[in-house]
Amino acid sequence: MNSTTDSKSNEVSLRDQIRPFLSVWPWVLLSVIMCLFLSGMYLRYTTKKYEATASIIIKDTQFGGGLSETGVLGDIGLFGSNFNSVENEIEILNSKRLLSKVIDHFKLDINYYRKGNVKSSDVYESRFLDITQLKNDSLLPLRENISFFVKKNNDSLFGFKSTEEGNWVNKKYGEIITIDNRNFLVTPKNVNNLADSKENNDEDILHVVIHPKSKLLQDYHSRLNVVSSGKRGSVVNLSITDVVGDRAADVLDQLIEEYNKDAINDKNIVAKNTAAFIEERLKEITKDLDSVETGIKDFKTSVQVVDIEVETAIDLEKANQIEAELLKVETQLSIGRSLKEFMVRDLEKTVTTAGLGINDIQLNQLIGKYNEILTTFQRVSQTSTSESPVMIQLTSELTALKRNIFTTLDNYINNLKLERNSLAQKSNQINATISRVPSNEKTSRNIKRNREVVEAIYLILREKQETTAISLAVTAPKAKIVDSGYASENPISPKPKIILLAGFILGVMIPIGIVYLKQLFYNKIESRKDLERALPEVTILGEIPKLESGADNRIVPNDRSVLAESFRIIRTNIQYKLNTLAHKETPVVLVTSTVKGEGKTLTAFNLASTFAYSGKKVLLIGGDIRNPQLHRFFNRKLKHKKGLTDYLVTNDFDLNDLVFNVDDNPKLSILQSGTIPPNPAELLMQDRIMQLFDEAKSQYDMIIVDTAPTILVTDTFLINKYADVTVYVSRANYTDLSLLDYISDTLKAEKLSNIAMVINSVKLANFGYGNKYGYTYSADKQSTLSRLKSKLGF
């Protein structure tokens, strides 16, 4: 049972939380319609953006038809290969330098706008003229926009004005116009093939805006996107957004073209520089080749020999033999002298004759022995001093050997000199027989050898010169186009589905958000649910509906209004509550509230009227003697009529002297508050108030007292002891939730007797058991459409 009860409580709680949101569904519908309408207007008039895309393949420089910086020299073997990475090419494609060339090519810094009914549209091609800014190096770069207006007049004239408010001035096409010291040339544009019908309108007006190139360049650069399609591939994808799709596609195509031009220009520069280098080297090699050929010619002329090899073959054979022997002797002589100089200069080093060709056996033996003793001397010197006997003996032996070596070496050299002189004489005799042969065959051979080297270099350079010339003639683009620039027909921004969905969601969330924030921050009671949660121990007699503006706030005979039905229910519930009391005397009902303005007087008067219409004789007492308001419900002229205070102040009046009946309700008698006293609390504490109730009980079937608010004064607490039931009134959308704590404290302190709550001014949608079953029985119920029209004021 407990589980079932908790589940039902949770269900009701969730339903209560959802009900405020469901109650505003007409506003949700209206909000959705308005937001969808605004979304449609936004889609209709916002500037659309289109995206153009293109893709290319970056070809390697060695296969691109051109030359790299070291390609030619690399073929010779001077440098290695050179490859450009895709990342480097992406940086070039994304450079502002190339974008600047694209802007200059299309003159993108000059924009044309055609004014529409709501906004101006960007005109790219469909215009009747072209404007070109003439260069002037003396002027500083443009910092701010320059704008003016042009109008189509005829084929030879156009209208011009510098401001929108200015007057039109006729100008001729081809005429230069000057604005801010800058000159602009205006030329007509052929528009015969344009589909835009406005081009044939003589009143076609364009707003021309010249943008600073630096800002425009930054704008295009921020919208350009260049990325590689993969880590290993060389395909590069380019994209850019623009308000004109054709312009975006043209920008990408021109950017690729400028990239290829730039790459070809770089290759041609390298090729030209290489060709110039080869040409310069060829000139130098040609001079060297001519010099060698001239040397050969002069040499043969001077010796009067045509073919030296044939004429001197025999003589040279003999001469060669002698020369060989002479060369051998000269060699031995040179070796002997060098050996002597070495031994004189480096006395502490070993000497060897191995491989020198010295044929003197004695000299070789002496040198071998010298090396042996010297080695021993060097080894002993590491452990002995120069004064040791061993060191002295070794030094003596080395000195003696050196003298013998020098003596033997001098004899060997002298013998070689004699042999050389003998061979020289023989050579002179042979040379005398071949005196007609050039004396310097060696010079001839050197000249021929130099000619072969120079000829080889000359042939290589000539070959590379032809290769470079071919490269200049057939240079291919570096980027191969996979897909040219293409702009989609559908704009990428704004996206209709997203905008409409956002409008729908916003339309739903605005009223729901307002309701949520109201629930979050609103601290007023709204329905009996609020009282049931805060004061679960208090009986709730009923709810009084909120009256429409201008509606009557009092019950009349045979009244079938919602207000009357609500008081009949309260009357019945009070009767049930009174029936539980033990005594049978005339019941006294106090009507009070926490603060002023909650509707206690309205409740007291209409409750008294409802009991009176049921046949009971009812006395309504105006117990709020500080701020009397009872007169508002029957006759304002009776505001100053004597009443309760006058009865309490003096014994000159009895009850019948002060009460009066309501015209349309003879069973209802009213005792007004009377004159406002200076000491109301003291008056209510007198014994005469008891006399008043006793006298009233003897004459009436029910007594209802309209008392003062409890939180402001103590008047109600003073007369509470005479009450059987206290009707405590709160007002929806007026009474603070914090005041319910005060009511709870009052209950706990038992300051008021037998309290029962009434909620005033409750919206029909917030009735505790709903408007579906309650107070619309036998009354005309408005349809949903009628209520919506009523809320909207239709």
Side-chain angles (χ1 to χ4, degrees):
M1 289 295 294
N2 291 337
S3 176
T4 304
T5 304
D6 292 342
S7 176
K8 185 175 291 187
S9 299
N10 292 335
E11 180 182 352
V12 172
S13 177
L14 180 61
R15 185 166 59 247
D16 291 341
Q17 293 178 10
I18 296 176
R19 182 181 291 114
F21 299 99
L22 298 178
S23 65
V24 296
W25 73 263
W27 294 106
V28 173
L29 178 61
L30 178 62
S31 176
V32 168
I33 293 174
M34 290 298 299
C35 289
L36 289 178
F37 173 75
L38 294 176
S39 299
M41 296 297 293
Y42 174 79
L43 292 173
R44 172 67 179 83
Y45 292 108
T46 190
T47 301
K48 297 178 175 59
K49 293 183 179 180
Y50 299 84
E51 183 180 44
T53 58
S55 59
I56 60 175
I57 294 178
I58 303 297
K59 296 185 291 186
D60 188 80
T61 52
Q62 291 204 357
F63 301 97
L67 296 176
S68 66
E69 289 80 350
T70 59
V72 175
L73 301 179
D75 292 340
I76 300 175
L78 298 180
F79 295 97
S81 299
N82 179 42
F83 297 91
N84 288 342
S85 65
V86 176
E87 289 77 8
N88 293 339
E89 303 307 316
I90 289 176
E91 291 300 322
I92 296 175
L93 279 166
N94 202 25
S95 65
K96 293 182 179 179
R97 177 176 59 86
L98 291 185
L99 268 178
S100 178
K101 294 180 180 180
V102 175
I103 291 174
D104 292 338
H105 181 270
F106 289 113
K107 296 183 287 189
L108 297 179
D109 55 336
I110 302 177
N111 292 114
Y112 307 83
Y113 302 94
R114 182 177 288 115
K115 188 176 181 180
N117 295 328
V118 177
K119 66 171 186 175
S120 297
S121 58
D122 195 318
V123 179
Y124 178 52
E125 288 292 343
S126 56
R127 58 180 185 271
F128 60 90
L129 52 72
D130 273 330
I131 296 175
T132 304
Q133 183 177 354
L134 302 180
K135 292 185 178 181
N136 188 346
D137 296 336
S138 62
L139 293 176
L140 295 175
L142 189 64
R143 298 297 182 185
E144 300 293 336
N145 292 346
I146 295 178
S147 65
F148 53 87
F149 297 84
V150 292
K151 179 179 69 173
K152 181 179 180 182
N153 289 343
N154 51 49
D155 294 339
S156 60
L157 296 176
F158 68 93
F160 168 81
K161 63 179 181 179
S162 57
T163 61
E164 190 172 6
E165 295 80 13
N167 298 322
W168 290 105
V169 178
N170 290 331
K171 299 280 187 179
K172 293 181 178 180
Y173 288 109
E175 184 177 349
I176 295 176
I177 58 177
T178 302
I179 303 176
D180 292 345
N181 297 324
R182 300 177 187 275
N183 297 326
F184 300 92
L185 177 64
V186 182
T187 56
K189 184 178 178 64
N190 185 9
V191 295
N192 294 331
N193 297 327
L194 296 177
D196 195 344
S197 61
K198 287 190 175 183
E199 293 300 331
N200 298 321
N201 184 2
D202 290 339
E203 296 300 323
D204 188 12
I205 299 175
L206 296 179
H207 180 204
V208 183
V209 179
I210 294 92
H211 300 279
K213 187 176 179 180
S214 58
K215 295 182 180 179
L216 189 68
L217 184 60
Q218 185 65 34
D219 176 55
Y220 271 90
H221 187 264
S222 64
R223 291 188 276 119
L224 177 64
N225 188 26
V226 183
V227 295
S228 174
S229 63
K231 293 182 178 181
R232 296 182 178 274
S234 58
V235 177
V236 176
N237 298 322
L238 300 90
S239 64
I240 193 171
T241 58
D242 201 311
V243 295
V244 180
D246 292 340
R247 179 166 60 195
D250 290 345
V251 167
L252 292 182
D253 288 340
Q254 188 61 33
L255 181 63
I256 296 172
E257 183 176 346
E258 293 293 340
Y259 169 76
N260 281 329
K261 288 180 180 179
D262 187 68
I264 291 174
N265 184 53
D266 288 344
K267 295 173 184 177
N268 288 342
I269 289 175
V270 174
K272 290 177 181 179
N273 291 337
T274 304
F277 169 76
I278 292 175
E279 185 68 26
E280 182 180 353
R281 289 299 303 152
L282 279 174
K283 291 180 181 180
E284 296 294 332
I285 295 300
T286 302
K287 291 179 181 179
D288 294 341
L289 189 59
D290 291 341
S291 177
V292 172
E293 295 292 344
T294 302
I296 294 174
K297 177 184 177 182
D298 293 343
F299 175 74
K300 290 182 178 182
T301 302
S302 64
V303 297
Q304 296 180 353
V305 174
V306 177
D307 192 348
I308 299 176
E309 294 180 358
V310 175
E311 295 181 3
T312 60
I314 298 173
D315 293 337
L316 285 178
E317 184 177 355
K318 296 179 180 179
N320 287 338
Q321 293 177 357
I322 296 174
E323 287 292 335
E325 293 179 4
L326 183 60
L327 179 60
K328 183 178 180 181
V329 172
E330 288 287 350
T331 301
Q332 291 296 315
L333 184 60
S334 177
I335 291 173
R337 292 171 179 171
S338 298
L339 182 59
K340 183 177 180 180
E341 292 177 359
F342 175 78
M343 291 191 68
V344 172
R345 184 173 61 253
D346 298 317
L347 298 178
E348 301 299 329
K349 293 184 179 179
T350 59
V351 182
T352 179
T353 58
L356 297 180
I358 297 177
N359 298 324
D360 194 325
I361 298 175
Q362 183 181 1
L363 180 60
N364 290 332
Q365 291 177 349
L366 289 174
I367 291 175
K369 189 175 182 180
Y370 173 79
N371 289 335
E372 181 182 351
I373 296 175
L374 179 60
T375 301
T376 304
F377 175 82
Q378 291 175 348
R379 185 176 65 254
V380 173
S381 64
Q382 294 178 358
T383 57
S384 303
T385 62
S386 58
E387 290 80 9
S388 65
V390 177
M391 288 296 293
I392 294 173
Q393 181 181 355
L394 290 175
T395 301
S396 175
E397 291 179 0
L398 286 175
T399 302
L401 284 172
K402 285 180 184 178
R403 286 196 299 268
N404 293 334
I405 290 173
F406 284 142
T407 301
T408 305
L409 188 58
D410 288 339
N411 294 332
Y412 177 71
I413 292 174
N414 291 332
N415 292 332
L416 289 175
K417 288 181 179 179
L418 293 175
E419 187 178 357
R420 182 190 63 183
N421 294 334
S422 176
L423 291 173
Q425 290 178 358
K426 292 179 181 180
S427 178
N428 291 333
Q429 291 175 358
I430 294 174
N431 288 335
T433 62
I434 55 174
S435 59
R436 293 176 297 173
V437 179
S439 62
N440 197 354
E441 181 64 19
K442 183 179 179 180
T443 303
S444 176
R445 293 178 180 177
N446 289 337
I447 293 174
K448 290 181 180 180
R449 191 181 301 112
N450 291 337
R451 181 178 65 181
E452 291 175 358
V453 173
V454 173
E455 284 179 349
I457 295 175
Y458 178 81
L459 292 175
I460 292 175
L461 291 177
R462 289 292 295 178
E463 180 183 356
K464 296 307 174 183
Q465 186 180 37
E466 293 300 322
T467 303
T468 304
I470 294 172
S471 177
L472 280 171
V474 297
T475 301
K478 191 172 187 178
K480 179 181 178 181
I481 298 176
V482 178
D483 289 318
S484 299
Y486 173 76
S488 60
E489 295 181 358
N490 299 322
I492 63 169
S493 174
K495 296 185 181 297
K497 292 182 180 179
I498 295 178
I499 296 298
L500 292 176
L501 179 61
F504 176 79
I505 295 175
L506 187 63
V508 173
M509 293 305 297
I510 287 177
I512 291 179
I514 293 175
V515 172
Y516 175 75
L517 291 176
K518 181 180 178 182
Q519 288 185 331
L520 191 63
F521 298 105
Y522 195 66
N523 64 340
K524 310 292 184 181
I525 65 172
E526 291 187 326
S527 66
R528 68 183 296 150
K529 299 296 182 182
D530 297 325
L531 295 182
E532 289 174 350
R533 282 191 292 267
L535 303 171
E537 71 278 9
V538 177
T539 302
I540 299 177
L541 297 175
E543 300 159 285
I544 303 172
K546 181 179 181 180
L547 301 176
E548 296 181 359
S549 177
D552 193 359
N553 59 359
R554 59 171 293 186
I555 298 174
V556 297
N558 301 319
D559 197 338
R560 297 178 60 195
S561 65
V562 176
L563 179 66
E565 292 297 337
S566 66
F567 274 101
R568 291 187 182 106
I569 291 176
I570 295 173
R571 177 190 65 190
T572 302
N573 291 333
I574 291 177
Q575 194 65 51
Y576 286 146
K577 198 170 185 63
L578 291 174
N579 290 338
T580 61
L581 300 178
H583 65 85
K584 300 295 183 179
E585 296 180 355
T586 299
V588 177
V589 177
L590 262 62
V591 181
T592 186
S593 64
T594 307
V595 294
K596 177 183 177 183
E598 291 181 295
K600 61 178 182 57
T601 303
L602 178 146
T603 302
F605 179 82
N606 287 311
L607 187 60
S609 299
T610 303
F611 272 104
Y613 287 138
S614 67
K616 290 182 179 292
K617 190 175 182 182
V618 180
L619 174 63
L620 176 59
I621 300 175
D624 188 358
I625 59 180
R626 300 172 185 267
N627 183 28
Q629 297 292 326
L630 199 58
H631 59 277
R632 294 187 298 108
F633 292 90
F634 48 88
N635 192 343
R636 293 181 180 272
K637 295 180 180 180
L638 299 178
K639 178 179 181 180
H640 301 292
K641 181 177 175 60
K642 295 184 182 300
L644 176 61
T645 56
D646 301 285
Y647 180 87
L648 297 175
V649 169
T650 177
N651 294 327
D652 297 338
F653 300 102
D654 60 14
L655 182 60
N656 293 327
D657 296 332
L658 300 175
V659 301
F660 60 91
N661 295 330
V662 180
D663 295 338
D664 58 356
N665 196 345
K667 291 288 186 178
L668 176 60
S669 299
I670 297 176
L671 175 63
Q672 287 202 132
S673 301
T675 306
I676 298 176
N679 55 344
E682 287 73 12
L683 286 178
L684 295 176
M685 293 174 64
Q686 295 180 5
D687 294 337
R688 189 162 171 76
I689 188 70
M690 182 185 297
Q691 182 180 346
L692 172 66
F693 282 110
D694 291 340
E695 188 176 353
K697 288 179 180 180
S698 63
Q699 301 181 29
Y700 295 95
D701 299 327
M702 176 171 283
I703 302 171
I704 297 177
V705 184
D706 175 27
T707 62
T710 59
I711 201 171
L712 301 177
V713 293
T714 62
D715 298 2
T716 302
F717 299 121
L718 294 176
I719 61 175
N720 174 68
K721 59 185 176 180
Y722 305 108
D724 297 305
V725 175
T726 301
V727 177
Y728 208 104
V729 180
S730 61
R731 182 177 176 181
N733 303 307
Y734 182 85
T735 303
D736 288 343
L737 289 170
S738 59
L739 294 179
L740 299 182
D741 295 333
Y742 167 77
I743 299 175
S744 177
D745 294 339
T746 301
L747 287 172
K748 293 176 181 179
E750 298 181 352
K751 295 181 180 180
L752 295 176
S753 302
N754 206 9
I755 290 181
M757 299 289 297
V758 170
I759 310 171
N760 180 31
S761 191
V762 179
K763 296 179 181 178
L764 293 180
N766 290 332
F767 270 93
Y769 301 106
N771 185 27
K772 183 175 181 180
Y773 307 106
Y775 302 117
T776 58
Y777 177 73
S778 77
D780 293 334
K781 181 179 180 182
Q782 284 184 313
S783 65
T784 302
L785 181 60
S786 299
R787 293 200 305 272
L788 179 60
K789 288 182 177 180
S790 176
K791 287 184 178 182
L792 298 179
F794 294 109

